[in-house]
Amino acid sequence: MSDIAKHYRKDTSKNLRCNERIRISPIRLIDENDEQAGIVETRDALNRAREAGLDLVEVAPQSSPPVCRIMDYGKWKYSQSKKERKSKAQRHETELKEIRIKTPKIGDHDLEIKIHHAREFLERGDRVQFGLRFRGRELAHIDEGQKVFTRIKEELEDVGKVEQDFRREGRRITMMLAPGGKKDQAKKAAPRTSPESKAPAAAAPANPSAEPAAPAEPAAVDPPAEQAEQAPGEA
């Protein structure tokens, strides 16, 4: 791998020295055609870049001598920035989202809203932790909270799997779901049909070893009755 490729891969966001900011001389030059031009004086390389309407960019300052390249620096910076934005948009870091339920007596509508938010998080690749707090005498009815969590698991089983089942932590119980439910399992388990398997098989003969039947002889045709009564000499 060339020094330029190593430097670009290491740091594409750094502002590189270019043109008059390059004070070291001589340098190892790569011309506008991406070919090695050898070791030249910085002044000569800068004049060559100006004649081509381009910039002289120091792409590997740690090399001895430093490596410089004749290129369109503004165009290169724009291209690198565009690639980084695209890569950042495609990259998603898994986060832990927390959904709090204030009471085991939560209404159906409010619970459906929280389940909807959890579904969005799971489909995006995040983990979801549910927390339900008991107040006062509600603590005597832990089973009511467990029923709420059971419903949540059933509603989200197509997009989420239980990473940590409900457990008690003081006056609250928690449960954690991770991405990957029955929907993902069905996609992985679905068989892939090859084009060959779709093609109908050719019909095989009933008895491949049997010899072909001989053609049937034409049946004899009897002469008309009038011709049969005539004598041979009368024909």
Side-chain angles (χ1 to χ4, degrees):
M1 182 180 294
S2 65
D3 292 335
I4 295 178
K6 291 179 181 178
H7 183 82
Y8 285 178
R9 187 177 65 174
K10 182 178 180 182
D11 187 359
T12 58
S13 61
K14 183 179 178 181
N15 290 324
L16 306 177
R17 284 193 290 266
C18 63
N19 299 329
E20 287 80 5
R21 294 179 59 193
I22 303 174
R23 303 298 178 85
I24 299 177
S25 187
I27 60 171
R28 185 178 299 277
L29 181 64
I30 298 177
D31 63 16
E32 61 274 20
N33 299 318
D34 202 21
E35 296 179 357
Q36 295 281 350
I39 298 175
V40 300
E41 294 295 328
T42 303
R43 181 181 61 257
D44 297 337
L46 184 58
N47 290 335
R48 181 171 176 176
R50 288 173 176 171
E51 291 176 358
L54 300 172
D55 302 298
L56 181 65
V57 183
E58 187 181 44
V59 295
Q62 303 301 327
S63 300
S64 181
V67 179
C68 297
R69 180 182 177 184
I70 297 176
M71 58 188 290
D72 188 335
Y73 186 46
K75 183 178 180 179
W76 177 83
K77 284 186 66 176
Y78 174 77
S79 176
Q80 293 300 314
S81 176
K82 188 175 180 180
K83 290 179 181 178
E84 289 177 1
R85 289 197 303 268
K86 184 177 180 180
S87 176
K88 186 176 181 180
Q90 294 177 345
R91 184 173 62 251
H92 174 73
E93 297 180 359
T94 301
E95 299 179 5
L96 176 61
K97 302 293 185 179
E98 184 177 5
I99 295 180
R100 299 176 181 177
I101 301 175
K102 296 181 179 180
T103 173
K105 298 178 181 179
I106 183 172
D108 291 341
H109 178 69
D110 293 337
L111 184 58
E112 286 294 337
I113 292 176
K114 293 185 180 296
I115 291 175
H116 176 72
H117 291 326
R119 179 178 293 275
E120 291 180 344
F121 295 145
L122 292 169
E123 289 178 344
R124 197 171 62 187
D126 295 325
R127 296 154 62 212
V128 181
Q129 175 175 293
F130 290 90
L132 193 157
R133 179 173 292 277
F134 297 89
R135 299 179 180 181
R137 297 180 180 180
E138 291 177 349
L139 195 60
H141 302 283
I142 300 293
D143 58 324
E144 295 296 327
Q146 293 177 349
K147 290 179 182 179
V148 174
F149 278 2
T150 300
R151 178 181 172 184
I152 292 173
K153 288 192 295 184
E154 292 175 353
E155 292 279 351
L156 297 174
E157 64 180 358
D158 59 324
V159 294
K161 60 183 179 181
V162 178
E163 184 173 293
Q164 175 188 299
D165 212 344
F166 47 75
R167 68 178 183 180
R168 183 173 175 180
E169 299 176 356
R171 302 186 66 88
R172 66 195 295 260
I173 59 175
T174 61
M175 179 181 66
M176 188 179 300
L177 301 181
K182 292 184 177 180
K183 184 185 294 185
D184 294 338
Q185 294 176 2
K187 289 181 180 179
K188 293 179 181 179
R192 295 183 179 180
T193 306
S194 61
E196 290 80 2
S197 62
K198 294 182 179 179
N207 188 0
S209 60
E211 297 181 357
E217 296 181 359
V221 179
D222 296 334
E226 296 179 357
Q227 295 181 4
E229 293 177 353
Q230 291 180 358
E234 298 176 356

